[in-house]
Amino acid sequence: MPPSFRKTPPPGVVLHKARLEPSEVDWCGSYRITVPLRTLLDAAQSGVSPEHIVEATRQALERGLVRRQVLKQAIQGLSEAQQLGFRVALEEA
């Protein structure tokens, strides 16, 4: 969501607020969604368990939704703890 978004989400929904580059979003019908790579990075930064990051990353790699080299570059800005699930998935893939 844009940083100016103020509506309170329903229980269980986590909104990530940021200014996104056009390459980070795609259209799904009449609304915008983040691309898989951005979604994975947001999940890692919001504290999703490494086990879930491993599974989601492995599926994204297997389905061709994320490229290994792009992922390796993208996780460089994350903390070591946030990188953990990605590193495990990259080793397994």
Side-chain angles (χ1 to χ4, degrees):
M1 302 306 300
S4 61
F5 188 80
R6 295 184 189 263
K7 186 174 180 182
T8 302
V13 173
V14 176
L15 296 180
H16 299 275
K17 296 180 181 181
R19 295 196 191 289
L20 301 174
E21 297 296 322
S23 63
E24 295 177 303
V25 294
D26 203 356
W27 286 96
C28 182
S30 60
Y31 56 93
R32 295 185 329 162
I33 59 172
T34 55
V35 296
L37 177 61
R38 177 63 193 232
T39 303
L40 290 169
L41 296 173
D42 285 344
Q45 291 172 326
S46 69
V48 170
S49 72
E51 294 82 11
H52 286 100
I53 298 297
V54 169
E55 182 62 25
T57 302
R58 189 174 66 228
Q59 288 179 13
L61 289 167
E62 288 173 357
R63 296 174 185 176
L65 301 174
V66 176
R67 294 187 324 198
R68 293 176 62 84
Q69 277 307 110
V70 174
L71 179 61
K72 286 180 182 180
Q73 290 176 339
I75 65 171
Q76 295 305 310
L78 302 177
S79 71
E80 287 296 319
Q82 293 169 340
Q83 289 183 26
L84 178 62
F86 295 114
R87 293 190 185 284
V88 171
L90 286 165
E91 289 175 10
E92 290 179 357

